[in-house]
Amino acid sequence: MSSRAEILAKVKQNKPTLVPLPNIDFNDLITYPDLITQFISVVEKIGGAVFLYPTEEDLAKNISLEPNETYNINTLNMSEAEKLSLSKVHSLDLERVHTAYFRGKLGVAENGSIWLDEEAMVNRVLPIICEHLVLVLDKNLIVPTMHHAYQNIDVSKTGYGTFLAGPSKTADIEQSLVIGAHGPRSLKVCLIG
Amino acid sequence: MENLKNHATAAEEFIKDEPRTDWHDETLWFVRQKRDLAAHTLPEWEELREWGSQIKNHTLSNLDEYLENFETNAQANGIKIHWAKDAEEHNQIIHKIITDNKFEKIVKSKSMLTEECHLNEFLIQKGIAVVDTDLGERIVQFRNEAPSHIVLPAIHLKKQDVSETFHKHLNTEKGNNDPQYLTEAARQHLRNHFVESELAITGVNFAVAETGGFVVCTNEGNADMGVNTAKIHIACMGMEKIIPKAEHLAVFLRLLTRSATGQPITTYSSHFNKPRPGQEMHIVIVDNGRSRQLGRADFRNSLKCIRCAACFNTCPVYRRSGGHSYHTAVAGPIGSILSPNLDMRANADLPFASTLCGSCSNVCPVKIDIHEQLWKWRQVLVNEGYVTTTKKIGMGGMAMVFAHPRLYRLLGSIGRKTIKWFPFFVNNKLNPWYKQRDMPEAPKESFRDWFKKQQK
Ligand code: SF4
């Protein structure tokens, strides 16, 4: 018998009587008086910085003012052709990226995370290998909790996606928090609207 | 690697360094307090635990079908599925993928399953070196030690120890103990491994039957970095990691990190559904005794564990004896109910490494009755003849006491008097808890006596 068959047979034999799934009642979930305020306060608590822009143009203006000497990648308004070529770049060549910009698809007020899927990342390694990360999010895309998040996005639609919350961090040495473990050393969240 | 045989002996070694033991104790208690604060931010916390528990109960009661579901959906996503009935088969599957591809540069992020299967040692014997990329795991790997905690692998070490280790292996400045400096050194060192890695091994926090995808949670970003640069990704999962639907991830992602470190969520909760173009993705589904545990009615719900380590951080015995004294990959209260299933003889001491205070069960996000299972394992182990006489006497006594509440009350008051008058009597050789432990000062009256007085 293959290991697969053997394992499944044992599980089938040993599993207890079927019990039902619970009913998750959304009425019992926490509510926040102001989703945006809550979201901002958590992002800041977990080491991110939040900037507010009334419109996308205001953000674009601000980006254009940034010094040009660093190697930045802005995926916000990339053409399909540019995206295709970026998707093929090897990690060795992305290692020097200073700042990378992405558009988040959804934000979660309870934990300050932002959903980034493969389409938004363009290249899977880019949001993790860049030194500094900027995530742009429409204010109206903030939901209260993770339950609402999964109601609003179909995670199976993407090959790879992540709820990203703050810059990478570790506390493995004597529980001292250090920002910038393997991934980005900083996270800026730009809220539009 | 050192394998200390018995919890009590190993703990004795650990507590010899008193300031360090105190530090360990206080630090983990601090993490426990952070968990409390995080839990209290959600009015639905207790309900969330109940949902988590019920989803896991349901999944275990239909596990074979969910596993098959998961396999079908994962394969449709282009993922290759392997089944391993034990640790040996798990290691061989991984070894074969490595040798078929003639890979040499292998990175691994945190996976307690690969620790349970002793994958690193297995591969080293075959001449293959794996680089652990979680900072804490890299530190203990340099020192040729095992992780002492499932979430905080190097919690038994002080920064001076890390500094010495890095000075030796990474040539950092001697005596520079700054965590920021040391972390930066590890970041640079591991970057080189990442960008050149050919194969990345990760664990799995949750595997979703409905989507055929899986989720890996880290703060450092080491799993994502390794996987997204490597040509092959191998994810190793115990078969109990399955959950039915993606929406259930909401429940578990809300519970996991709040219980573990008090954060609202890890920095990365990454969903892997399909390999990227040109990449290969493999999942090894491992049994290694889990199907047997599923058949033990008293112990099966230990399989609900999501490895948050809240039960470690709250445990007075773990905090003061250190993870290595448990001599198994998963230490702490949950390790003590999982390990006897793997090997009763070798792990017969572990269910006794507890005061049965029940704090573990109170914090467990999926409501495992940990302390009751510890108690039940003691009985199984005694009946099967795996327990030495001293423990049997202590335990027989306790069994009686618990079975007779009136006797408990009486003995409780005797206990209080005995400690006050004859400390040497309680702190004798027959009480295995005494050695190196200060017995608590006796409260003058029991809660019950006090309560009765208040009623009058
Ligand atoms: S038994 Fe419960 S508290 Fe302990 S690690 Fe598992 S899930 Fe966490």
Side-chain angles (χ1 to χ4, degrees):
Chain A
M1 204 166 24
S2 72
S3 292
R4 177 185 184 280
E6 206 178 299
I7 292 168
L8 287 172
K10 262 203 242 162
V11 171
K12 195 171 181 157
Q13 191 196 331
N14 287 348
K15 69 178 176 180
T17 335
L18 189 68
V19 291
L21 273 171
N23 171 38
I24 292 162
D25 189 345
F26 276 50
N27 292 320
D28 295 343
L29 303 176
I30 189 167
T31 53
Y32 298 104
D34 181 354
L35 286 182
I36 296 161
T37 314
Q38 164 69 19
F39 178 81
I40 293 173
S41 83
V42 183
V43 172
E44 287 173 347
K45 219 181 272 168
I46 58 181
V50 180
F51 297 83
L52 303 170
Y53 297 94
T55 67
E56 187 89 31
E57 286 78 60
D58 297 312
L59 168 69
K61 235 183 271 163
N62 214 284
I63 294 177
S64 69
L65 294 178
E66 281 178 10
N68 239 344
E69 61 268 23
T70 49
Y71 177 21
N72 295 354
I73 294 183
N74 183 343
T75 69
L76 298 179
N77 298 305
M78 266 188 177
S79 69
E80 286 311 307
E82 284 172 315
K83 282 186 182 170
L84 188 69
S85 72
L86 175 58
S87 73
K88 292 179 180 153
V89 179
H90 191 267
S91 51
L92 273 171
D93 299 310
L94 292 173
E95 224 205 331
R96 293 171 301 116
V97 174
H98 182 271
T99 304
Y101 296 80
F102 304 92
R103 192 184 308 280
K105 299 240 158 131
L106 176 133
V108 187
E110 69 161 317
N111 58 28
S113 70
I114 291 176
W115 173 252
L116 270 189
D117 63 10
E118 192 161 20
E119 189 197 333
M121 297 179 195
V122 188
N123 185 313
R124 287 189 188 191
V125 81
L126 188 54
I128 189 97
I129 208 168
C130 61
E131 290 278 300
H132 302 277
L133 180 62
V134 181
L135 298 181
V136 178
L137 184 72
D138 183 331
K139 259 183 180 174
N140 298 316
L141 296 176
I142 298 175
V143 298
T145 73
M146 292 301 283
H147 304 281
H148 302 87
Y150 283 99
Q151 215 177 30
N152 280 278
I153 47 167
D154 181 352
V155 288
S156 68
K157 285 265 152 60
T158 187
Y160 167 68
T162 190
F163 283 99
L164 210 156
S168 77
K169 54 181 88 64
T170 182
D172 272 348
I173 301 174
E174 264 195 26
Q175 280 294 291
S176 317
L177 179 68
V178 178
I179 302 281
H182 296 301
R185 298 175 192 273
S186 77
L187 168 71
K188 268 191 208 171
V189 175
C190 302
L191 288 181
I192 310 288
Chain B
M1 213 161 282
E2 227 178 348
N3 184 10
L4 295 160
K5 286 257 155 42
N6 170 300
H7 180 270
T9 340
E12 232 171 275
E13 203 48 51
F14 183 81
I15 58 179
K16 270 186 193 153
D17 185 342
E18 214 175 298
R20 188 177 281 235
T21 312
D22 289 343
W23 180 84
H24 190 263
D25 182 13
E26 283 155 21
T27 306
L28 289 164
W29 184 249
F30 182 61
V31 180
R32 153 75 211 261
Q33 286 174 318
K34 287 199 287 187
R35 170 260 174 218
D36 292 349
L37 287 176
H40 293 155
T41 60
L42 295 179
E44 69 267 37
W45 181 256
E46 286 308 314
E47 216 167 345
L48 202 54
R49 288 176 72 212
E50 186 58 35
W51 292 333
S53 167
Q54 287 183 21
I55 295 169
K56 285 282 181 178
N57 282 335
H58 164 80
T59 313
L60 290 176
S61 74
N62 195 29
L63 189 59
D64 52 332
E65 284 178 34
Y66 282 128
L67 281 166
E68 283 187 277
N69 250 328
F70 174 73
E71 178 185 46
T72 313
N73 293 328
Q75 283 168 341
N77 291 345
I79 302 175
K80 294 184 184 165
I81 302 287
H82 310 259
W83 298 77
K85 56 176 185 294
D86 52 24
E88 175 73 17
E89 193 173 9
H90 161 268
N91 294 345
Q92 268 160 4
I93 290 167
I94 293 172
H95 180 240
K96 184 165 186 315
I97 298 173
I98 295 171
T99 48
D100 283 356
N101 288 281
K102 303 198 175 61
F103 282 159
E104 280 170 1
K105 293 166 183 160
I106 299 158
V107 293
K108 177 161 80 66
S109 64
K110 206 188 285 160
S111 150
M112 290 322 296
L113 177 65
T114 62
E115 295 291 333
E116 173 187 322
C117 296
H118 301 289
L119 175 69
N120 281 11
E121 291 90 324
F122 179 92
L123 291 176
I124 284 168
Q125 276 173 11
K126 310 259 178 200
I128 297 165
V130 175
V131 174
D132 281 327
T133 57
D134 173 86
L135 175 60
E137 288 208 322
R138 189 63 180 146
I139 295 168
V140 296
Q141 187 177 41
F142 276 142
R143 298 170 61 91
N144 202 20
E145 289 174 355
S148 66
H149 185 287
I150 58 177
V151 173
L152 319 166
I155 194 67
H156 60 292
L157 298 171
K158 302 281 288 173
K159 55 190 177 197
Q160 297 84 303
D161 305 320
V162 178
S163 173
E164 273 164 36
T165 305
F166 280 13
H167 174 64
K168 191 165 151 208
H169 293 273
L170 300 179
N171 216 0
T172 55
E173 225 170 83
K174 197 172 172 59
N176 190 334
N177 300 340
D178 178 16
Q180 181 98 37
Y181 168 77
L182 296 169
T183 303
E184 183 62 29
R187 177 183 168 109
Q188 302 299 341
H189 153 73
L190 287 165
R191 254 306 152 100
N192 300 334
H193 287 282
F194 281 128
V195 288
E196 294 177 352
S197 85
E198 296 167 309
L199 184 138
I201 300 170
T202 70
V204 168
N205 288 93
F206 307 100
V208 184
E210 163 193 73
T211 66
F214 56 94
V215 174
V216 181
C217 305
T218 72
N219 276 323
E220 298 183 8
N222 57 316
D224 298 83
M225 182 84 100
V227 165
N228 293 332
T229 51
K231 296 178 193 80
I232 294 186
H233 174 186
I234 307 178
C236 305
M237 62 175 266
M239 63 183 192
E240 79 284 14
K241 296 290 170 190
I242 295 269
I243 58 172
K245 296 179 182 178
E247 66 185 59
H248 296 142
L249 286 168
V251 173
F252 295 109
L253 292 179
R254 297 185 85 198
L255 286 169
L256 177 63
T257 322
R258 287 188 175 94
S259 299
T261 59
Q263 293 169 262
I265 193 167
T266 45
T267 305
Y268 304 93
S269 304
S270 297
H271 298 51
F272 295 93
N273 295 324
K274 293 178 189 140
R276 64 174 195 273
Q279 188 195 32
E280 260 180 50
M281 207 179 262
H282 298 255
I283 298 176
V284 189
I285 302 175
V286 182
D287 181 341
N288 203 34
R290 287 163 175 76
S291 59
R292 183 172 58 234
Q293 187 90 324
L294 188 64
R296 299 189 209 264
D298 281 344
F299 304 114
R300 69 164 58 101
N301 86 27
S302 60
L303 296 171
K304 287 154 70 181
C305 176
I306 58 172
R307 304 286 192 270
C308 71
C311 58
F312 290 51
N313 305 337
T314 202
C315 177
V317 177
Y318 175 86
R319 281 188 276 117
R320 293 200 67 82
S321 63
H324 288 155
S325 61
Y326 292 76
H327 58 78
T328 49
V330 179
I334 181 66
S336 299
I337 57 176
L338 291 172
S339 306
N341 173 56
L342 291 174
D343 186 338
M344 280 200 217
R345 183 174 302 281
N347 301 317
D349 56 323
L350 295 181
F352 293 88
S354 164
T355 60
L356 301 182
C357 70
S359 182
C360 46
S361 308
N362 287 333
V363 295
C364 177
V366 288
K367 292 193 163 184
I368 301 173
D369 54 339
I370 309 169
H371 72 296
E372 284 166 28
Q373 293 191 39
L374 285 164
W375 167 240
K376 286 174 186 161
W377 266 121
R378 292 184 184 183
Q379 298 175 55
V380 172
L381 292 163
V382 169
N383 290 339
E384 309 257 330
Y386 291 118
V387 178
T388 54
T389 343
T390 3
K391 273 183 183 145
K392 248 192 247 173
I393 294 173
M395 206 200 66
M398 263 193 280
M400 269 260 289
V401 172
F402 283 133
H404 304 278
R406 276 186 49 216
L407 195 60
Y408 164 72
R409 285 202 290 273
L410 180 68
L411 283 180
S413 79
I414 292 177
R416 277 185 294 283
K417 282 171 193 141
T418 321
I419 295 177
K420 259 165 83 184
W421 299 334
F422 314 108
F424 60 89
F425 182 69
V426 178
N427 301 340
N428 66 11
K429 268 194 241 131
L430 279 176
N431 182 345
W433 269 104
Y434 173 59
K435 273 203 273 172
Q436 301 255 5
R437 293 172 202 106
D438 296 324
M439 291 303 280
E441 222 185 285
K444 292 202 181 64
E445 48 187 7
S446 77
F447 175 75
R448 201 166 180 281
D449 293 341
W450 174 86
F451 186 77
K452 268 169 63 191
K453 252 191 246 166
Q454 302 304 305
Q455 301 295 301
K456 276 173 199 163

